[in-house]
Amino acid sequence: MPAVVENHGVRIRPVTPARLVAELTERIAARPGWVRVAIDGPDAAHPDELADALVGPLRARGRPVVRVRAADHLRPASLRLERGRENPDAFLDDWLDAEGLVREVLRPLDPGGTGRIRPVRFDAAADRASRTPFITVAPGAVLLLSGPLLLGRGLPLDLTVHIVLTPAALRRRTPAPWHWTLPAFARYEEEVNPASWADVVIRADDPRRPAIVERD
């Protein structure tokens, strides 16, 4: 299917889900050394599933993979919910422990870093620090971090992927009990504008028919 040309030299190139995984694999595997990749998108866009789909192909290319989920790096409930259980501003600003994520997961994979990281730092169900140990990341490994609202936080990353849903699709695909988070995503789009600077932007209103946004 040919690309659809939009305004300002932006092209929308439809791909199959398998082709999307193949292209992302090629792009990630081409980078030397440790590679820190963020798959950013609302839960309704299934960023965790896309990250999981990359694991096998990357390992087949000889790259060790470490999976990290933003949900395992939350702040304690006393801080996350200080402004209420359904506060969209808190969801954007207070839920993710970005400082801990940088300190114990991302920064050790800087060039010349120790490579010693803690992939799971917090057990949200138990509301306490996780008991999982630190691990030493193999040379040339790829770290795949996935979750919502990751960009614009100064996270040290080597490749960023942003999955876009239109507001209508986001509302339709978000379970009703989580509709209170929708203003957080609207504010994220307005203030961070992640699609303007992510390395790869994917449109996924229909998960069976994703499309890659290409710019001149």
Side-chain angles (χ1 to χ4, degrees):
M1 185 180 297
V4 177
V5 180
E6 299 195 346
N7 292 332
H8 309 296
V10 175
R11 292 181 298 278
I12 310 301
R13 179 166 57 87
V15 292
T16 64
R19 184 61 190 170
L20 173 62
V21 169
E23 290 193 18
L24 289 175
T25 298
E26 289 294 325
R27 185 159 183 168
I28 296 167
R31 291 178 173 256
W34 288 322
V35 185
R36 298 162 294 190
V37 181
I39 309 293
D40 172 65
D43 288 340
H46 306 299
D48 290 349
E49 292 182 12
L50 178 56
D52 289 343
L54 292 167
V55 173
L58 284 167
R59 287 176 175 164
R61 295 288 299 270
R63 302 298 294 267
V65 178
V66 179
R67 276 289 285 119
V68 177
R69 294 168 178 79
D72 295 324
H73 296 271
L74 301 182
R75 302 172 79 197
S78 60
L79 299 175
R80 293 198 316 274
L81 309 179
E82 187 174 12
R83 291 188 273 177
R85 289 186 173 276
E86 297 186 356
N87 185 299
D89 290 327
F91 184 68
L92 176 58
D93 298 330
D94 302 337
W95 279 44
L96 181 69
D97 182 3
E99 291 182 3
L101 183 61
V102 170
R103 182 180 65 252
E104 296 189 11
V105 178
L106 298 174
R107 191 62 71 192
L109 299 184
D110 280 345
T114 65
R116 189 170 182 267
I117 73 168
R118 194 176 182 193
V120 178
R121 298 181 53 255
F122 192 75
D123 182 340
D127 193 32
R128 66 185 182 193
S130 172
R131 297 175 180 175
T132 58
F134 281 82
I135 65 170
T136 298
V137 178
V142 175
L143 184 141
L144 294 173
L145 167 66
S146 60
L149 309 172
L150 294 175
L151 305 185
R153 299 178 181 272
L155 303 180
L157 298 163
D158 302 302
L159 184 71
T160 55
V161 178
H162 176 59
I163 309 174
V164 178
L165 297 179
T166 62
L170 178 59
R171 173 171 288 275
R172 183 175 65 251
R173 292 171 56 184
T174 299
W178 288 90
H179 276 188
W180 64 270
T181 65
L182 297 177
F185 290 105
R187 186 180 144 211
Y188 180 60
E189 291 297 325
E190 179 180 355
E191 295 181 4
V192 178
N193 191 14
S196 70
W197 56 274
D199 296 304
V200 180
V201 177
I202 301 163
R203 290 192 176 182
D205 282 3
D206 183 345
R208 300 166 300 178
R209 299 177 177 85
I212 297 174
V213 179
E214 298 176 331
R215 311 179 188 90
D216 288 336

